[in-house]
Amino acid sequence: MSPLSWVEPADAHNARLVSNVHPIDWKNPTPAPCYNLVVIGAGTAGLVTAAGAAGLGARVALIEKHLLGGDCLNVGCVPSKALIRSSRAAFDAKEAGHFGVRGTAPAQVDFPAVMERMRKLRADLSPHDSAQRFAGLGVDVFLGAANFSGPDTVHVGGKTLRFKQAVIATGARPVQPAILGLSETGYLTNETVFNLTRCPGRLAIIGGGPIGCELAQAFQRLGSQVSLLHENEHLLDREDMDAAALVQHAFIREGVALHLNATITRVERDGSGKLVFYEAQGMEGRLLVDEVLAGAGRAPNVEGLDLESVGVQHDSHTGVVVNDCLQTTNPRIYAVGDVCLAWRFTHAADFSARIVIQNALFLGRKKASALTMPWCTYTDPEIAHVGLYERAARERGVEVDTYVREFKEVDRAVLDGEADGFVKIHVKKGRDEILGATIVARHAGEMISEISVAMAAHVGLGKLASVIHPYPTQAEAIRQCGDGYNRTRLTPTVKKWMGRWLAWQRR
Ligand SMILES: Cc1cc2nc3c(=O)[nH]c(=O)nc-3n(C[C@H](O)[C@H](O)[C@H](O)COP(=O)(O)OP(=O)(O)OC[C@H]3O[C@@H](n4cnc5c(N)ncnc54)[C@H](O)[C@@H]3O)c2cc1C
């Protein structure tokens, strides 16, 4: 199968993408006698491992069976965020009247143009992950499916590569939901949805996690009538409940049809459409839609690597088993990114790769548990989080004090018309130590880094209150949480002595 058929449509943008991330005329190099590092998989985790190791002078082979750049560039972060940006423009145009801006006609979404913009931007970003760039960095790039063929060898495309250390960076893929009739009727996943050139009029999305929610809101804003079916009581149920509730309200306001506590029982073809049968809250229902999109979980890519033959333990749900130093049960083999981590994010893949470079090549003892890991779900409003949730703290028996600032009390958010949201910061009880935070705001992902920096640098909330934030900005909400913390330092005794001092001054 030609790599050109892996992304559709066959236009100039996708041809440019493929020429970078899986050139059809690529010739695999002659393997070196032995590599310091053989990296299997060239998504973010593999690319960062290979580039970093080669930059430090290691002899590195990087193997990719599909498209370099992996999920993030090709079928994940990049295309989804491009679509989300267009959908926000559509939403803002629709809402412009609230800001006193009126056009003569309602804004129209040109879906083919939205998708073409996405394909162009994806191709524009692809040189960074290209085979040519990595070859230029001194990495031997092999295109083909790899598997372990001996205790210190990997097999790819009829060639055997010998390694001192190897890294498994094979990522994850969408889980195929076990729903009667779904495979037969056909459905979209993140691997195919970005190939669309026509907007599905009616779209059922399975799964109210981050991927399902981001795409549900984007497609609703781009013109689909979206029905979102989720098995639990709330969307985004791993997030802070108050945060998830705000996003859920936004979805309802925007017309996304929510079916919570829903179990899909079967899917059938109905003329040119698809019938989705489900049960929710004891009732049976059915939806007639044009397309079904499954965003119901990710499974690690552990198959076909012959991991058993090299003593690498793995699990089909949680992936390759690693210790805190990201070493597998075979001490010569490490794992990075989605294939082994509970955090399935591009930045987690990136930073796990940095740990592995040091541990595998330089006898390092860097630990994944030492990372301060933020994340963000790019709905509108966004939910960004770092550190512990309140409930996780409780489960661990850690007592916390929580400081909340709602955006309706923050001037800039009010002026922006973005007053729905809050900053919530958890501090260890009795200590000025930030343990975690959640922000719900249109640009929460941009704001969370301030708290991540504070946590990583052991800067307390009291100190954040003394950092001058420009007025008016939404980030003032963080400083105001700090003010709230400092007010609690004012004990009755201190207050009493201050009162006496001021009374004495007035004599
Ligand atoms: C729709 C969507 C949106 C997302 N949005 C965000 C976001 O906004 N922010 C964020 O941080 N994260 C986001 N993510 C998650 C992010 O994409 C992943 O966490 C990240 O891509 C993981 O990188 P990785 O290198 O571990 O795996 P991957 O990117 O999956 O790369 C693994 C690579 O290994 C290759 N491979 C597998 N088996 C073999 C083999 N046997 N031989 C050779 N090669 C092999 C695969 O072809 C693949 O290219 C999103 C994911 C999805 C699906």
Side-chain angles (χ1 to χ4, degrees), residues 40-47 63-78 80-81 144-147 169-173 190 194 211 214-215 298 301 303-305 336-339 343-349 376 378:
I40 306 178
T44 305
L47 291 172
I63 312 171
E64 173 55 52
K65 68 173 179 184
H66 196 60
L67 302 172
L68 278 92
D71 276 7
C72 180
L73 173 68
N74 300 295
V75 291
C77 329
V78 167
S80 64
K81 269 73 239 178
N147 63 289
T170 50
R173 62 180 185 282
N190 71 289
F194 302 111
I211 294 175
E214 287 183 6
L215 292 177
R298 317 262 314 146
N301 292 322
E303 300 79 10
L305 292 162
V336 280
D338 279 12
V339 75
W343 302 306
R344 288 190 175 144
F345 311 113
T346 291
H347 47 280
C376 183
Y378 298 90

Side-chain angles (χ1 to χ4, degrees), residues 351-362:
F351 276 77
S352 62
R354 294 168 196 233
I355 287 179
V356 159
I357 293 167
Q358 298 181 53
N359 292 354
L361 296 178
F362 300 106

Side-chain angles (χ1 to χ4, degrees), residues 31-33 35 142 149-150 152-163:
Y35 290 97
F142 294 84
S149 52
D152 62 352
T153 55
V154 165
H155 183 262
V156 54
K159 296 190 166 141
T160 297
L161 316 186
R162 210 155 70 76
F163 63 80

Side-chain angles (χ1 to χ4, degrees), residues 494-507:
V494 175
K495 245 185 173 164
K496 192 171 87 189
W497 281 107
M498 281 165 67
R500 282 191 185 168
W501 165 255
L502 292 170
W504 183 77
Q505 294 262 303
R506 288 196 300 271
R507 272 180 315 132

